[in-house]
Amino acid sequence: MSDTNEKKLIFSGIQPTGTFTLGNYIGAIRNWGPLQDEYNCIYSIVDLHAITVRQEPAKLRQNTLQAYALILACGIDPEKSTAFIQSHNHNHAELSWILSCSTQFGELSRMTQFKDKSAKHADDINAGLFTYPVLMAADILAYNADLVPIGADQKQHLELARNIAGRFNQKYGEFFTMPEPFIPKTGARVMSLQDPSKKMSKSDENPNACVLILDDKDTIIRKFKRAVTDSEAEVCYREGKDGINNLMTIYSAVTGKSLEEITSEFSGKGYGDFKLAVGEAVADHLEPVRSKYEKLIADKAYLKECYTAGAEAASKITRKTLSKVYRKIGFVDIR
Ligand code: TRP
């Protein structure tokens, strides 16, 4: 009917851990909308992954709905893409079990995120935290995704997914697609406003370090006004000017202006003017996202309609994968 079969398939999972940061938005999420025409896109709010660390049930439910509404507010169109909540498609957990039986304890022990998280949550080093990357492999392989948009911290997990796929293919014949990391050309790296040598992170102790995409205009401007810069007074992109470089990157990302244009726009002006301009530009840029989000989160029935349809579309794909996997590994057919 259409050319959908020729389009490559993108899969990504998003943890429901509260509002996204400006860094998540500029570096990743805002690039997803424009991809929807060129690729078949599947996005999942990964609540099964979230419970590898302790969660308060009411909060988890709220964060999951929030994350779902947020990806729609950021440009994922549920008519064009498949957007669903991971626990609504049981095939992820099922495939994860199968894949875990061909994943070695040693390979999982080498995952740096497991080491980091088990140090951070020393009182809850549960088996799920350990097998987390297998579930992620199942997410990706269940759809035979070609491309997986990920940050640097997930590279090792994707590599593991490729190893798992390769081993399965070797044993049972070519079956799983080898997923590749996908790094959109336009993604910029946004650093902390308080310590521009660190990535912007919502877990930063200093609330001024990080802008959340649902922050109101005054909050955004206040955070930018307090951004750390340097002792010069020159808006230009240069080594050693991490704070200014970061602000210029952000300003460029939200206005589309080049670094040269920004330099001339602020030549002869002080950092105060520049920081205010960045804050205002970011707030104006995020305003439509915030108002779309407010509308969506107030309309639970619409959200439910979207995630139910998303889960059905997702299950339809993965059921096929799973029944083929069951046959390959020697399970008896029920019909
Ligand atoms: N582990 C990813 C993260 O923490 C989230 C994730 C889960 C994911 N499953 C995925 C990302 C599949 C890409 C593909 O960011």
Side-chain angles (χ1 to χ4, degrees), residues 11-13 15 46 49 132 136 139-140 148 150 154:
F11 181 95
S12 197
Q15 294 237 28
V46 292
H49 278 96
Y132 174 115
M136 179 164 159
D139 296 342
I140 298 164
V148 183
I150 43 162
Q154 297 298 318

Side-chain angles (χ1 to χ4, degrees), residues 136 164-165 168 192 201 211 279 293 296 309 321 323:
M136 179 164 159
I164 293 174
F168 188 96
S192 154
S201 159
V211 172
Y293 170 80
L296 286 164
T321 312
S323 67

Side-chain angles (χ1 to χ4, degrees), residues 62-124:
Q62 188 192 337
N63 279 344
T64 303
L65 287 174
Q66 184 189 54
Y68 191 86
L70 271 174
I71 62 168
L72 301 196
C74 290
I76 300 299
D77 178 349
E79 302 280 323
K80 288 187 186 166
S81 298
T82 300
F84 71 104
I85 296 169
Q86 189 185 27
S87 61
H88 290 170
N89 180 359
H90 301 181
N91 298 151
H92 290 241
E94 274 182 69
L95 183 60
S96 176
W97 173 256
I98 311 260
L99 298 180
S100 74
C101 295
S102 62
T103 306
Q104 300 303 305
F105 181 86
E107 1 181 40
L108 291 176
S109 310
R110 285 193 291 276
M111 294 293 118
T112 55
Q113 190 172 76
F114 171 69
K115 292 187 219 170
D116 293 348
K117 284 201 180 171
S118 44
K120 207 165 141 200
H121 304 276
D123 60 338
D124 185 21

Side-chain angles (χ1 to χ4, degrees), residues 72-264:
L72 301 196
C74 290
I76 300 299
D77 178 349
E79 302 280 323
K80 288 187 186 166
S81 298
T82 300
F84 71 104
I85 296 169
Q86 189 185 27
S87 61
H88 290 170
N89 180 359
H90 301 181
N91 298 151
H92 290 241
E94 274 182 69
L95 183 60
S96 176
W97 173 256
I98 311 260
L99 298 180
S100 74
C101 295
S102 62
T103 306
Q104 300 303 305
F105 181 86
E107 1 181 40
L108 291 176
S109 310
R110 285 193 291 276
M111 294 293 118
T112 55
Q113 190 172 76
F114 171 69
K115 292 187 219 170
D116 293 348
K117 284 201 180 171
S118 44
K120 207 165 141 200
H121 304 276
D123 60 338
D124 185 21
I125 307 176
N126 62 78
L129 194 62
F130 189 64
T131 57
Y132 174 115
V134 184
L135 178 59
M136 179 164 159
D139 296 342
I140 298 164
L141 301 179
Y143 299 88
N144 280 303
D146 298 291
L147 300 167
V148 183
I150 43 162
D153 63 325
Q154 297 298 318
K155 266 202 166 143
Q156 198 185 24
H157 290 165
L158 185 61
E159 205 45 52
L160 179 77
R162 290 169 56 87
N163 291 338
I164 293 174
R167 222 168 315 152
F168 188 96
N169 289 352
Q170 207 161 29
K171 185 157 178 200
Y172 301 105
E174 277 313 303
F175 179 67
F176 286 125
T177 303
M178 255 323 148
E180 306 274 350
F182 181 71
I183 296 143
K185 295 172 232 55
T186 43
R189 203 169 138 84
V190 174
M191 313 305 281
S192 154
L193 297 185
Q194 292 296 315
D195 176 358
S197 65
K198 286 194 318 202
K199 209 176 120 181
M200 180 178 280
S201 159
K202 72 182 138 212
S203 52
D204 207 301
E205 292 130 40
N206 186 339
N208 290 321
C210 169
V211 172
L212 300 174
I213 66 170
L214 298 178
D215 279 346
D216 60 37
K217 185 164 187 167
D218 290 348
T219 306
I220 294 175
I221 291 176
R222 181 166 38 82
K223 288 178 180 177
F224 277 102
K225 275 189 180 161
R226 295 186 184 167
V228 168
T229 51
D230 52 56
S231 55
E232 301 172 357
E234 205 190 344
V235 177
C236 71
Y237 198 99
R238 196 187 320 127
E239 205 179 321
K241 292 175 74 76
D242 292 353
I244 290 295
N245 294 349
N246 186 38
L247 294 178
M248 287 180 77
T249 303
I250 295 170
Y251 191 63
S252 168
V254 297
T255 60
K257 292 177 187 167
S258 69
L259 298 177
E260 296 75 46
E261 283 168 330
I262 300 169
T263 304
S264 57

